[in-house]
Each structure stands twice: as C-alpha cells, then as structure tokens.
Amino acid sequence: MRLETAPFQSNIPAESLAAPLSGQVGQVDVLASGFDQAVETVFAPFANFLSLVVFFEVPVLGTGVPLIVVWLMAAAVFITVYLRFQPITGLKHSFEVIRGRLTRKTDPGEVSSFQALATELSGTVGLGNIAGVAVAITIGGPGAALWIIIFGFFAMSVKMAEATLGVKYRKVHADGTTSGGPMYYLRDGLAEIGRPRLGRFLGAFYAIVTVVGVFGAGNLFQANQGAAAIVTATGGESSWFADKLWLLGLVYAVLAGAVILGGIKKIAEWTGAITPIMAIVYFLSVFAILLVNFTHIPQAFVLMFQGAFTGEGVAGGIIGVAIVGIQRALFSNAAGVGSAGMAHSAVKTHDPATEGFTALWEPLIDSIFICTLTALAIITTGLYTADAGDGSTAEGVALTSRAFATVNDTWFPFVLTVCVVLFAFSTLLSYGYYGQKAIGYLLGDSRRAEKVFQIVWVLAIVVGASASLDSVIAFSDAMFFLMSVPALLGMYFLSKIVRLEILRHRIRAMADQLPDIPEDLQVGIRDHEPSKEQVRSEARRLKALRTRRREVKREFRKAQKARGVDMSDVPAEELPKA
C-alpha cells in the first residue's frame, strides 16, 4: 500500500503533504497551479475532517497513537495466533505453492500464484519502503526499524487470511474471468453465517471507499511523485520537463493504458516481469551501500535492538513506528486493507488455502526484507541522526538519496530515481485493477462500468502528474485506511472458516494427501494457460472422477442397507467421496 502522504496531524504540516520528491520543484504550469488552488479551497475542509476522524489519536506513553493503527495491530496479532503461527510453521510449504506445483492449468482462474504475488507486491513495494522507513528512523531512532520487522511478521497472517477468503468467495464468470475481494467475502461470507444485511452493507461500504482510496494513493500521488522524480533527476527547476509535467503524465498514461486495458492477465504479465526487476535493482543498490559501509553493519544491528527495547528507545520506537513507521512504511504492505483478496482471487486454483500460503510472502518481502535493507542503508551511513524535516515523502527520499550518494555522488542517486519511477508505474497498474473490481461490484459486475473506470483511471494519471492536489490525496489516504474497518470485521466474522481452510490444507499436505498433478499440467510461475488437449483431457478426468464418486456412494448405501441401516435421508454431500 502506498501511504506515503501523511494524514493531517499536528506533527506534520499539512502544506508538506504529497510534496514533490525534490521538495523544491514546484508546479510551474500556471493552469495546473490554479487548478490545484481551486480544488484545495473546496476540498481541504473535507480532507481535514475525515483525517481527524480516521486518525483519531489516544495518548500512549506520552504520544498520540491513532486508533486505526491499534485496530490493524490487534487484528494482525489475533489472526497469527489463531492460525497457529503459519508464517513460521507454513513457510516451507508455501514454496511448493508459489511454484505452482499444487494447482492445475485447467483450474478456474486467470493468473498463476506467482503473478498474483507480483501484482500485489507491485502495489506495496514502493516509496513507503524508500521514504517512509527513512523518516521513521530519523524520528523514532534505529529501534523503529526493528518494530517494523516485528509487525511485518504479524502482517503475514493477515495477508494469508485475506487471500484465502478472496478465493473462497470469488465469482467465476461464464467466460472464465473472475471477480473477488473483500466486498464479495463480506457479502457472501456473512450471508453464509446468517448476517446477510450486515454483509451487504459492509461490502458496499468497502467498495465505495476503495474506489476513492485507490484514486489518491494509487493514481494521483504515484503519477505526481514519478513525474517529480524525473524532473529532479534532470535538473530540477532548470529541467526541460519542469513546466511539462503533463507530458510526463501523458507518457505514464499511454504505457499504463496499454497494460490496464488488457485486464488482469496483461497486468499480471507486466507486474510479473517488473516486480522482480525493480526488487533486484533496489537490492543490489542497497547491497552496494552496505558494502561501502560494511564495517558499520554490526553496530547498526546493535543500535536497532538497543533502540527498540530500552526505555527511551521504546518511546522512540512507538513514535517512529506507530506514527510514521506503521502509517507510512510498515503498512506499505497493505495488510488489513484487503487488496490481497482482490489480487489473489484471480488465481487458477480449486483450493483457497493455496493463495493464503502465497500471500504470506508479501509482508515478508516488503516489510521484513526490503524495509530492513533501507533501514541498514540509513543507519550504516549515519543518516539516522539527520533532521526528518517536515516528515514528507520528499524528506524521506532525500535521506535515502544521500545514502546512495555514499557509493558515488555523481550517478548512483540516479539508480534511486529509476526505482521510484518503476515503483510508481507498477502501483498504477495494480491499484487500477483494484478500483476496477470495486466499481464493477457496485454496478452489478458490469463489464462496461469496469471499462469506463479503466479509461478514467488512465486519464487521471495526466492530472496527477501535473497537479499535486494535496487535499484530495490526503482525503484518499484516510479513505484507504477506512478500507481496513470492513475488511477486518469480515475477517473476524469469518475467522473460523479461514482457520478451517488453512489447517485442513496443512493436515492434507503433512499426510501427503494433496493431489498429485502431472508436471505438464502444473500452473508453474508464468506458464499457466492449458492447451486444447489438456482441457479435453481434464474434462475426461473430471467426468471419470464424478462417475467414480457416484459409484462409491452407491456402494456405500448398498453396504449400509445390507447392515439394516437406512441411508435414504442422508444428504449426498455427507456420504464418502472417492
């Protein structure tokens, strides 16, 4: 999740929200500036009010902690314990799932588990990892990094539950396409347990806040920051692009439109390629920083542990993580927001639990691996003592850029610019899909409505690049956090169903009772489209399986009748299967 803009809070000036990456490059285009001002005048009161409500704080250890953060943290701890610590006990098994060995190409769905993982990661790995972590550490000290890692671990279980429910309650349409996510498991899942009215209300509420939330955090802000990064890298105010931000937005829009209009298959194809590339580029870049400053690595870990568990460090950790780290870095993994339920609902599988085991990797990669790398880069270069400035994304990126400059101050910071541009583009793709599915749900799974949304989404990229729209983005930021309220309520209500799906799958796996799928029919990482012959062969297999099941039930009834037991009133689903 890309919550790099800070909500309206006393410790972060409102005028710093969604500032360009340079912190100095303004919106030179007069028309864009005028449009900004007009929107701000009308929208700022709404943004202020909603931010105050959503991010309402209670005093803890002398600092204000937003209740929404407590809500997310409590859910993460509960579901981790309730699912018997699957991030530890089920991690090894998840390797098999991600590689596609447990699902068939002929299973319902559109993409592979790996592609769904890449799609969700493309929307979570980003500026929160670059800027949010840097600001969290400079405000809360090195101990903040350890708290990010700790709660990243608990977030793995939340993602697991979201993805499992997303697949279990998804809709598979006649043409093979899918629709799923929290709005569907809220509506259908709660109806299943006898709460249909509540389910319909929460499903509609979730879809509405999603449509608004993704526009700010996943479109306008990403386009703005991506364009600003290019301007900064090419000379700042003297750059040829400085007064042509709309042109950069147009390039973004054309590239994104070519992918988004192709649907989830096209999006998954691109994110499956882009996400590994941008992760590798960022990893190698930070590795180079750590290589230059390798003598400071042991001390960096000492500072992290000391800062997290000493009296002063705990207070600093709470400030750095709960206020900035959790809001702008830790929950960059979007655990609790429900987006994983949408991304994984499109996967080819018959078993919802397979996607739970895939999704738990998202916070592991985002909050534990990548955030730790950024933290080490900031700490080993000594920048953790730097002034956090106004706490904006601009300040965070500037700090990380200074860390990159320790390798080479001439060209190496440009690598960070490449990462920012890739992160912004990949988010435009994944969040466009989430908004599309939300609007489709609200309008009765209308394909026409989804197509119109795609077009509006692409056009909005140009607006986002050339206009900052601070209050609109802050409003969307608050709406994005609101998504966690219905999403996690649904998770609590359906927690027994999630537990049954996950633990039943684990028991079958440990007993070696999972289906043995021929290698050429396994979904794999990218190759997930079956041939015509495979489709025909699978149809024959399923027909034979149904015939065998009918025979087993018939023989069972016959045997029980011979024993004098009347089985005529027993439902067919309660009889033994082949």
Side-chain angles (χ1 to χ4, degrees), residues 366-381:
D366 181 284
S367 296
I368 297 180
F369 290 165
I370 298 181
C371 286
T372 299
L373 288 173
T374 302
L376 288 174
I378 299 297
I379 297 171
T380 58
T381 54

Side-chain angles (χ1 to χ4, degrees), residues 28-240:
V28 180
D29 190 335
V30 176
L31 290 176
S33 298
F35 181 60
D36 280 358
Q37 187 58 47
V39 173
E40 292 299 300
T41 302
V42 175
F43 218 80
F46 295 102
N48 275 290
F49 174 76
L50 187 63
S51 292
L52 287 173
V53 172
V54 174
F55 299 106
F56 178 78
E57 297 180 355
V58 292
V60 177
L61 296 177
T63 188
V65 176
L67 285 179
I68 194 74
V69 172
V70 177
W71 170 248
L72 288 160
M73 290 165 53
V77 174
F78 163 74
I79 203 69
T80 299
V81 176
Y82 195 62
L83 295 182
R84 299 183 183 177
F85 293 90
Q86 291 303 317
I88 297 174
T89 60
L91 194 62
K92 180 180 178 181
H93 175 66
S94 68
F95 277 106
E96 295 296 311
V97 178
I98 293 174
R99 294 171 68 181
R101 294 185 174 182
L102 303 181
T103 54
R104 298 172 181 267
K105 294 177 182 178
T106 52
D107 283 348
E110 301 178 77
V111 300
S112 68
S113 293
F114 172 79
Q115 288 178 319
L117 173 66
T119 298
E120 177 66 1
L121 279 175
S122 71
T124 60
V125 175
L127 292 175
N129 307 90
I130 296 174
V133 175
V135 173
I137 293 172
T138 53
I139 291 178
L146 187 59
W147 286 108
I148 290 174
I149 294 170
I150 291 171
F151 285 106
F153 164 77
F154 288 107
M156 293 169 69
S157 298
V158 178
K159 287 277 192 170
M160 171 177 261
E162 289 177 353
T164 301
L165 289 172
V167 175
K168 183 170 180 60
Y169 293 103
R170 69 181 176 178
K171 290 183 64 177
V172 180
H173 304 292
D175 61 356
T177 59
T178 59
S179 294
M183 48 277 193
Y184 291 91
Y185 72 65
L186 285 167
R187 183 191 66 189
D188 301 335
L190 266 62
E192 189 176 291
I193 62 172
R195 300 177 182 269
R197 289 186 178 180
L198 179 62
R200 287 195 297 270
F201 169 75
L202 291 177
F205 177 75
Y206 180 86
I208 291 170
V209 295
T210 297
V211 171
V212 178
V214 297
F215 252 107
N219 187 310
L220 301 178
F221 182 73
Q222 300 304 320
N224 185 268
Q225 298 300 281
I230 295 173
V231 171
T232 303
T234 55
E237 292 183 347
S238 62
S239 169
W240 184 81

Side-chain angles (χ1 to χ4, degrees), residues 104-108 350 515 521 534-550 578:
R104 298 172 181 267
K105 294 177 182 178
T106 52
D107 283 348
H350 271 298
L521 199 58
Q534 286 176 327
V535 172
R536 288 193 292 266
S537 176
E538 182 66 3
R540 290 193 295 268
R541 185 188 73 84
L542 292 175
K543 182 178 180 180
L545 181 60
R546 287 192 295 269
T547 301
R548 175 58 181 157
R549 285 178 176 174
R550 285 195 296 269

